[in-house]
Amino acid sequence: MLPFLFPPISRTRNPSKFSKSYPVRAAVVREQEEKEVVVEETFRPKTSGFNVQSQREPPQPDSDQLIIKIEQSINVFLTDTVIKVLDTFYRDRDYARFFVLETIARVPYFAFISVLHLYESFGWWRRADYLKVHFAESWNEMHHLLIMEELGGNSWWFDRFLAQHIAVFYYFMTVFMYALSPRMAYHFSECVEHHAYSTYDKFIKANGDELKEMPAPEVAVRYYTGGDLYLFDEFQTSRVPNSRRPKIDNLYDTFVNIREDEGEHCQTMKASQTPGNLRSPHSYADDGSKEDELSSGCMDTELHCEGIVDCLKKSVGPGLSKTKQ
Ligand SMILES: [Fe+2]
Ligand SMILES: [Fe+2]
């Protein structure tokens, strides 16, 4: 950690900035107050109905491009390796495969929250919107997991053993990666979420007729249609709250909505790769304007750097001194 590179939250606040409001929807790319990263669309879904959020891509220095390329290449390699392992063990056991996937799926959001809590304790960052959205994402993934358990995906000891041990390893790996480079960690999660989207998409297309004849799990009906849907709206950062209300009449509907959730996660992870870009969908007023950031407990908009890689790069280059002006 490099505490000398992170300004305390109290010193970085600029009250005048927090009184602005922007007539934009949730998680739409912010006005250009800070540099954005170029994000390669390595994992655009081929069969999806959702649009990957467009991002402005200003010219980047070669050094940034190179770092992003390295980060993304490592992520692609890691994701492909895990997919090969899962393909080996779960070629013909769909629910067990989904159980393993969903056990792992919650982990990165918990890891992001852990690191953000730590940074907040040290007075480096305060990002309430990130904490809210990441918790809502993990809550959504937990319900996917409960659905798979109700479908019997966790009935074998070996599947539980494998999933739980991968989850522990994945947690520490994500904490390390997030401290090193939030952009890289979010991109890795985008890769994982895209794999989840594709997996469910193929499953639905191969088994659609059969799934329509089967009942929906109770936990799915309760999660998607019952009670307070605040957290359900909270993780869908490209949508206005209350704009998606699924019907769950059978198992087909259940899997369609799980797939759509994975698509939403994919978009949120993509948007998160641009520093400071993530907004809670509930942080916008009814007229579409953004709530005052201080009243929503939110952003430190004058970060000097994001993660160890960014801090090191800026400490030896012109970036940090430029930001301080
Ligand atoms: Fe999931
Ligand atoms: Fe997911």
Side-chain angles (χ1 to χ4, degrees):
M1 302 290 172
L2 302 167
F4 53 91
L5 292 172
F6 291 90
I9 291 167
S10 58
R11 278 199 279 123
T12 58
R13 282 250 163 93
N14 178 353
S16 64
K17 290 206 169 196
F18 290 87
S19 60
K20 286 184 190 172
S21 57
Y22 299 85
V24 292
R25 287 179 57 213
V28 170
V29 177
R30 251 188 346 183
E31 292 304 320
Q32 290 279 17
E33 289 180 348
E34 59 195 9
K35 191 175 73 173
E36 294 179 350
V37 296
V38 175
V39 179
E40 283 194 355
E41 295 190 355
T42 318
F43 284 85
R44 181 188 290 277
K46 296 187 180 79
T47 55
S48 75
F50 71 81
N51 299 311
V52 173
Q53 186 170 341
S54 64
Q55 304 211 11
R56 272 172 291 217
E57 296 185 355
Q60 296 286 316
D62 287 346
S63 58
D64 281 13
Q65 294 281 11
L66 181 63
I67 291 169
I68 292 169
K69 277 241 181 274
I70 292 170
E71 289 176 354
Q72 296 192 345
S73 299
I74 293 170
N75 288 342
V76 170
F77 171 77
L78 288 173
T79 314
D80 286 348
T81 304
V82 173
I83 291 171
K84 275 183 190 140
V85 171
L86 291 177
D87 283 344
T88 304
F89 285 116
Y90 297 104
R91 193 166 297 282
D92 302 317
R93 294 196 300 128
D94 290 319
Y95 292 158
R97 181 190 184 108
F98 300 155
F99 165 75
V100 174
L101 266 182
E102 297 299 349
T103 302
I104 298 168
R106 295 186 300 155
V107 169
Y109 303 115
F110 175 46
F112 300 154
I113 291 171
S114 303
V115 178
L116 288 166
H117 262 278
L118 184 71
Y119 287 170
E120 187 171 279
S121 301
F122 291 164
W124 293 345
W125 290 7
R126 176 162 296 140
R127 292 192 159 177
D129 274 26
Y130 280 62
L131 292 171
K132 283 169 66 183
V133 171
H134 291 331
F135 176 75
E137 288 172 304
S138 78
W139 188 252
N140 174 260
E141 298 289 13
M142 185 190 80
H143 283 84
H144 293 175
L145 179 61
L146 293 175
I147 291 166
M148 298 316 156
E149 288 178 358
E150 197 169 322
L151 292 171
N154 63 338
S155 53
W156 287 19
W157 176 87
F158 172 77
D159 300 328
R160 298 194 300 274
F161 178 88
L162 183 69
Q164 289 160 4
H165 284 77
I166 292 175
V168 172
F169 172 78
Y170 189 23
Y171 171 77
F172 288 105
M173 189 196 86
T174 308
V175 165
F176 175 73
M177 195 186 281
Y178 197 67
L180 201 64
S181 168
R183 175 186 59 208
M184 182 179 183
Y186 284 133
H187 178 262
F188 186 68
S189 284
E190 184 197 344
C191 297
V192 173
E193 295 295 358
H194 177 256
H195 172 67
Y197 183 96
S198 302
T199 302
Y200 288 121
D201 192 53
K202 283 180 201 157
F203 178 72
I204 291 164
K205 283 174 178 156
N207 302 283
D209 292 340
E210 197 181 326
L211 293 173
K212 283 174 187 169
E213 302 301 319
M214 299 168 79
E218 253 180 65
V219 65
V221 177
R222 277 203 306 275
Y223 174 66
Y224 285 106
T225 66
D228 182 357
L229 292 170
Y230 181 95
L231 283 173
F232 179 67
D233 289 331
E234 178 68 14
F235 80 89
Q236 303 180 61
T237 56
S238 64
R239 289 176 179 270
V240 176
N242 297 312
S243 63
R244 181 176 162 224
R245 288 292 175 262
K247 72 173 178 71
I248 305 289
D249 291 338
N250 49 45
L251 196 53
Y252 178 84
D253 294 340
T254 305
F255 275 101
V256 165
N257 280 289
I258 292 173
R259 182 194 63 185
E260 295 309 299
D261 291 348
E262 306 299 0
E264 294 291 339
H265 290 303
C266 203
Q267 291 199 72
T268 302
M269 289 300 95
K270 187 171 186 59
S272 302
Q273 290 162 48
T274 300
N277 197 32
L278 192 61
R279 288 280 191 279
S280 159
H282 293 96
S283 67
Y284 291 77
D286 290 342
D287 63 359
S289 63
K290 185 161 61 71
E291 280 182 1
D292 180 279
E293 287 174 322
L294 273 179
S295 67
S296 68
C298 223
M299 302 290 298
D300 173 7
T301 56
E302 295 186 2
L303 292 174
H304 290 176
C305 53
E306 302 245 352
I308 293 170
V309 168
D310 194 38
C311 290
L312 285 174
K313 185 177 158 298
K314 286 176 175 169
S315 68
V316 296
L320 187 62
S321 56
K322 195 177 170 186
T323 312
K324 278 178 174 172
Q325 288 170 0

mmCIF file of all heavy atoms in Angstrom, residues 101-102 105-106 109 137 140-141 144 189 192-194 196-197 200 258 261-263 265-266, ligand 2:
data_model
loop_
_atom_site.group_PDB
_atom_site.id
_atom_site.type_symbol
_atom_site.label_atom_id
_atom_site.label_comp_id
_atom_site.label_asym_id
_atom_site.label_seq_id
_atom_site.Cartn_x
_atom_site.Cartn_y
_atom_site.Cartn_z
ATOM 1 N N LEU A 101 -20.621 -22.250 -10.323
ATOM 2 C CA LEU A 101 -20.500 -20.889 -10.868
ATOM 3 C C LEU A 101 -21.069 -19.843 -9.915
ATOM 4 O O LEU A 101 -20.473 -18.791 -9.681
ATOM 5 C CB LEU A 101 -21.265 -20.795 -12.197
ATOM 6 C CG LEU A 101 -20.506 -21.012 -13.494
ATOM 7 C CD1 LEU A 101 -21.462 -20.821 -14.675
ATOM 8 C CD2 LEU A 101 -19.338 -20.032 -13.622
ATOM 9 N N GLU A 102 -22.230 -20.152 -9.349
ATOM 10 C CA GLU A 102 -22.887 -19.157 -8.485
ATOM 11 C C GLU A 102 -22.216 -19.050 -7.111
ATOM 12 O O GLU A 102 -22.265 -17.997 -6.489
ATOM 13 C CB GLU A 102 -24.381 -19.473 -8.344
ATOM 14 C CG GLU A 102 -25.165 -19.403 -9.643
ATOM 15 C CD GLU A 102 -25.137 -18.021 -10.296
ATOM 16 O OE1 GLU A 102 -24.695 -17.059 -9.645
ATOM 17 O OE2 GLU A 102 -25.530 -17.904 -11.473
ATOM 18 N N ALA A 105 -19.536 -16.782 -7.965
ATOM 19 C CA ALA A 105 -19.960 -15.496 -8.525
ATOM 20 C C ALA A 105 -20.076 -14.376 -7.496
ATOM 21 O O ALA A 105 -19.871 -13.204 -7.804
ATOM 22 C CB ALA A 105 -21.309 -15.676 -9.235
ATOM 23 N N ARG A 106 -20.421 -14.740 -6.255
ATOM 24 C CA ARG A 106 -20.597 -13.691 -5.237
ATOM 25 C C ARG A 106 -19.275 -13.122 -4.755
ATOM 26 O O ARG A 106 -19.210 -12.015 -4.218
ATOM 27 C CB ARG A 106 -21.301 -14.279 -4.012
ATOM 28 C CG ARG A 106 -22.684 -14.740 -4.262
ATOM 29 C CD ARG A 106 -23.334 -15.159 -2.967
ATOM 30 N NE ARG A 106 -22.617 -16.247 -2.311
ATOM 31 C CZ ARG A 106 -22.657 -16.485 -1.003
ATOM 32 N NH1 ARG A 106 -23.339 -15.708 -0.209
ATOM 33 N NH2 ARG A 106 -22.017 -17.509 -0.487
ATOM 34 N N TYR A 109 -17.606 -9.470 -5.507
ATOM 35 C CA TYR A 109 -18.305 -8.308 -4.951
ATOM 36 C C TYR A 109 -17.982 -8.149 -3.469
ATOM 37 O O TYR A 109 -17.781 -7.037 -2.978
ATOM 38 C CB TYR A 109 -19.817 -8.444 -5.196
ATOM 39 C CG TYR A 109 -20.099 -8.602 -6.675
ATOM 40 C CD1 TYR A 109 -20.648 -9.769 -7.196
ATOM 41 C CD2 TYR A 109 -19.742 -7.584 -7.559
ATOM 42 C CE1 TYR A 109 -20.854 -9.909 -8.559
ATOM 43 C CE2 TYR A 109 -19.939 -7.725 -8.919
ATOM 44 C CZ TYR A 109 -20.500 -8.895 -9.415
ATOM 45 O OH TYR A 109 -20.680 -9.023 -10.765
ATOM 46 N N GLU A 137 -25.203 -6.490 -5.929
ATOM 47 C CA GLU A 137 -24.760 -7.512 -6.879
ATOM 48 C C GLU A 137 -24.555 -8.856 -6.172
ATOM 49 O O GLU A 137 -24.969 -9.907 -6.666
ATOM 50 C CB GLU A 137 -23.458 -7.070 -7.555
ATOM 51 C CG GLU A 137 -23.667 -5.927 -8.550
ATOM 52 C CD GLU A 137 -22.356 -5.353 -9.065
ATOM 53 O OE1 GLU A 137 -21.518 -4.919 -8.231
ATOM 54 O OE2 GLU A 137 -22.157 -5.347 -10.281
ATOM 55 N N ASN A 140 -27.878 -10.426 -5.334
ATOM 56 C CA ASN A 140 -28.466 -11.054 -6.517
ATOM 57 C C ASN A 140 -27.814 -12.418 -6.786
ATOM 58 O O ASN A 140 -28.510 -13.412 -7.026
ATOM 59 C CB ASN A 140 -28.288 -10.122 -7.723
ATOM 60 C CG ASN A 140 -28.730 -10.757 -9.032
ATOM 61 O OD1 ASN A 140 -27.906 -11.239 -9.793
ATOM 62 N ND2 ASN A 140 -30.026 -10.773 -9.301
ATOM 63 N N GLU A 141 -26.486 -12.460 -6.711
ATOM 64 C CA GLU A 141 -25.788 -13.728 -6.966
ATOM 65 C C GLU A 141 -26.132 -14.761 -5.892
ATOM 66 O O GLU A 141 -26.206 -15.955 -6.172
ATOM 67 C CB GLU A 141 -24.264 -13.509 -7.009
ATOM 68 C CG GLU A 141 -23.780 -12.577 -8.128
ATOM 69 C CD GLU A 141 -23.889 -13.185 -9.524
ATOM 70 O OE1 GLU A 141 -24.551 -14.221 -9.690
ATOM 71 O OE2 GLU A 141 -23.303 -12.598 -10.454
ATOM 72 N N HIS A 144 -29.228 -16.403 -6.963
ATOM 73 C CA HIS A 144 -28.955 -17.402 -8.008
ATOM 74 C C HIS A 144 -28.472 -18.702 -7.350
ATOM 75 O O HIS A 144 -28.863 -19.806 -7.746
ATOM 76 C CB HIS A 144 -27.866 -16.904 -8.962
ATOM 77 C CG HIS A 144 -28.276 -15.723 -9.789
ATOM 78 N ND1 HIS A 144 -27.403 -15.074 -10.636
ATOM 79 C CD2 HIS A 144 -29.465 -15.059 -9.901
ATOM 80 C CE1 HIS A 144 -28.032 -14.070 -11.228
ATOM 81 N NE2 HIS A 144 -29.290 -14.047 -10.801
ATOM 82 N N SER A 189 -13.869 -9.516 -13.624
ATOM 83 C CA SER A 189 -15.265 -9.843 -13.293
ATOM 84 C C SER A 189 -16.168 -9.735 -14.516
ATOM 85 O O SER A 189 -17.133 -10.492 -14.652
ATOM 86 C CB SER A 189 -15.781 -8.916 -12.191
ATOM 87 O OG SER A 189 -15.254 -9.319 -10.962
ATOM 88 N N VAL A 192 -15.822 -12.985 -16.236
ATOM 89 C CA VAL A 192 -16.549 -14.053 -15.545
ATOM 90 C C VAL A 192 -18.050 -13.910 -15.765
ATOM 91 O O VAL A 192 -18.759 -14.887 -16.049
ATOM 92 C CB VAL A 192 -16.216 -14.032 -14.033
ATOM 93 C CG1 VAL A 192 -17.094 -15.020 -13.268
ATOM 94 C CG2 VAL A 192 -14.738 -14.350 -13.805
ATOM 95 N N GLU A 193 -18.543 -12.676 -15.667
ATOM 96 C CA GLU A 193 -19.984 -12.453 -15.865
ATOM 97 C C GLU A 193 -20.396 -12.758 -17.304
ATOM 98 O O GLU A 193 -21.498 -13.245 -17.551
ATOM 99 C CB GLU A 193 -20.368 -11.011 -15.501
ATOM 100 C CG GLU A 193 -20.180 -10.656 -14.049
ATOM 101 C CD GLU A 193 -21.097 -11.434 -13.104
ATOM 102 O OE1 GLU A 193 -21.917 -12.239 -13.576
ATOM 103 O OE2 GLU A 193 -20.967 -11.246 -11.885
ATOM 104 N N HIS A 194 -19.514 -12.445 -18.209
ATOM 105 C CA HIS A 194 -19.846 -12.773 -19.601
ATOM 106 C C HIS A 194 -19.914 -14.272 -19.815
ATOM 107 O O HIS A 194 -20.791 -14.782 -20.520
ATOM 108 C CB HIS A 194 -18.837 -12.167 -20.570
ATOM 109 C CG HIS A 194 -19.129 -12.566 -21.983
ATOM 110 N ND1 HIS A 194 -18.394 -13.513 -22.650
ATOM 111 C CD2 HIS A 194 -20.137 -12.213 -22.816
ATOM 112 C CE1 HIS A 194 -18.926 -13.713 -23.846
ATOM 113 N NE2 HIS A 194 -19.977 -12.931 -23.976
ATOM 114 N N ALA A 196 -20.790 -16.391 -17.551
ATOM 115 C CA ALA A 196 -22.045 -16.815 -16.934
ATOM 116 C C ALA A 196 -23.216 -16.542 -17.878
ATOM 117 O O ALA A 196 -24.105 -17.386 -18.060
ATOM 118 C CB ALA A 196 -22.249 -16.087 -15.606
ATOM 119 N N TYR A 197 -23.213 -15.364 -18.499
ATOM 120 C CA TYR A 197 -24.286 -15.021 -19.440
ATOM 121 C C TYR A 197 -24.350 -16.053 -20.573
ATOM 122 O O TYR A 197 -25.415 -16.585 -20.909
ATOM 123 C CB TYR A 197 -24.056 -13.615 -20.015
ATOM 124 C CG TYR A 197 -25.168 -13.187 -20.945
ATOM 125 C CD1 TYR A 197 -26.216 -12.399 -20.488
ATOM 126 C CD2 TYR A 197 -25.182 -13.606 -22.277
ATOM 127 C CE1 TYR A 197 -27.255 -12.031 -21.333
ATOM 128 C CE2 TYR A 197 -26.212 -13.244 -23.131
ATOM 129 C CZ TYR A 197 -27.241 -12.458 -22.660
ATOM 130 O OH TYR A 197 -28.268 -12.108 -23.499
ATOM 131 N N TYR A 200 -25.686 -19.586 -19.447
ATOM 132 C CA TYR A 200 -27.143 -19.663 -19.292
ATOM 133 C C TYR A 200 -27.847 -19.522 -20.635
ATOM 134 O O TYR A 200 -28.889 -20.147 -20.880
ATOM 135 C CB TYR A 200 -27.634 -18.592 -18.308
ATOM 136 C CG TYR A 200 -27.255 -18.911 -16.884
ATOM 137 C CD1 TYR A 200 -26.466 -18.040 -16.135
ATOM 138 C CD2 TYR A 200 -27.673 -20.090 -16.285
ATOM 139 C CE1 TYR A 200 -26.108 -18.346 -14.828
ATOM 140 C CE2 TYR A 200 -27.323 -20.404 -14.985
ATOM 141 C CZ TYR A 200 -26.543 -19.526 -14.258
ATOM 142 O OH TYR A 200 -26.194 -19.838 -12.979
ATOM 143 N N ILE A 258 -32.236 -15.106 -14.743
ATOM 144 C CA ILE A 258 -30.848 -15.241 -14.247
ATOM 145 C C ILE A 258 -29.879 -14.787 -15.340
ATOM 146 O O ILE A 258 -28.928 -14.052 -15.082
ATOM 147 C CB ILE A 258 -30.568 -16.699 -13.818
ATOM 148 C CG1 ILE A 258 -31.389 -17.045 -12.573
ATOM 149 C CG2 ILE A 258 -29.081 -16.900 -13.554
ATOM 150 C CD1 ILE A 258 -31.310 -18.500 -12.161
ATOM 151 N N ASP A 261 -29.856 -11.107 -15.523
ATOM 152 C CA ASP A 261 -29.087 -10.559 -14.393
ATOM 153 C C ASP A 261 -27.593 -10.571 -14.715
ATOM 154 O O ASP A 261 -26.867 -9.602 -14.437
ATOM 155 C CB ASP A 261 -29.311 -11.395 -13.125
ATOM 156 C CG ASP A 261 -30.724 -11.262 -12.568
ATOM 157 O OD1 ASP A 261 -31.470 -10.371 -13.011
ATOM 158 O OD2 ASP A 261 -31.072 -12.056 -11.669
ATOM 159 N N GLU A 262 -27.133 -11.684 -15.287
ATOM 160 C CA GLU A 262 -25.699 -11.780 -15.614
ATOM 161 C C GLU A 262 -25.321 -10.711 -16.640
ATOM 162 O O GLU A 262 -24.232 -10.123 -16.573
ATOM 163 C CB GLU A 262 -25.344 -13.176 -16.158
ATOM 164 C CG GLU A 262 -25.743 -14.355 -15.286
ATOM 165 C CD GLU A 262 -25.104 -14.366 -13.903
ATOM 166 O OE1 GLU A 262 -24.330 -13.460 -13.588
ATOM 167 O OE2 GLU A 262 -25.422 -15.288 -13.125
ATOM 168 N N GLY A 263 -26.229 -10.450 -17.565
ATOM 169 C CA GLY A 263 -25.981 -9.370 -18.530
ATOM 170 C C GLY A 263 -25.864 -8.016 -17.849
ATOM 171 O O GLY A 263 -25.015 -7.196 -18.205
ATOM 172 N N HIS A 265 -24.887 -7.525 -14.742
ATOM 173 C CA HIS A 265 -23.591 -7.518 -14.037
ATOM 174 C C HIS A 265 -22.457 -7.203 -15.011
ATOM 175 O O HIS A 265 -21.523 -6.469 -14.689
ATOM 176 C CB HIS A 265 -23.321 -8.882 -13.392
ATOM 177 C CG HIS A 265 -24.204 -9.197 -12.230
ATOM 178 N ND1 HIS A 265 -24.302 -8.390 -11.124
ATOM 179 C CD2 HIS A 265 -25.030 -10.247 -11.992
ATOM 180 C CE1 HIS A 265 -25.157 -8.932 -10.259
ATOM 181 N NE2 HIS A 265 -25.623 -10.046 -10.775
ATOM 182 N N CYS A 266 -22.566 -7.794 -16.183
ATOM 183 C CA CYS A 266 -21.534 -7.592 -17.200
ATOM 184 C C CYS A 266 -21.412 -6.098 -17.540
ATOM 185 O O CYS A 266 -20.314 -5.538 -17.596
ATOM 186 C CB CYS A 266 -21.927 -8.399 -18.435
ATOM 187 S SG CYS A 266 -20.583 -8.819 -19.504
HETATM 188 FE FE FE B 2 -22.919 -13.351 -12.211
#
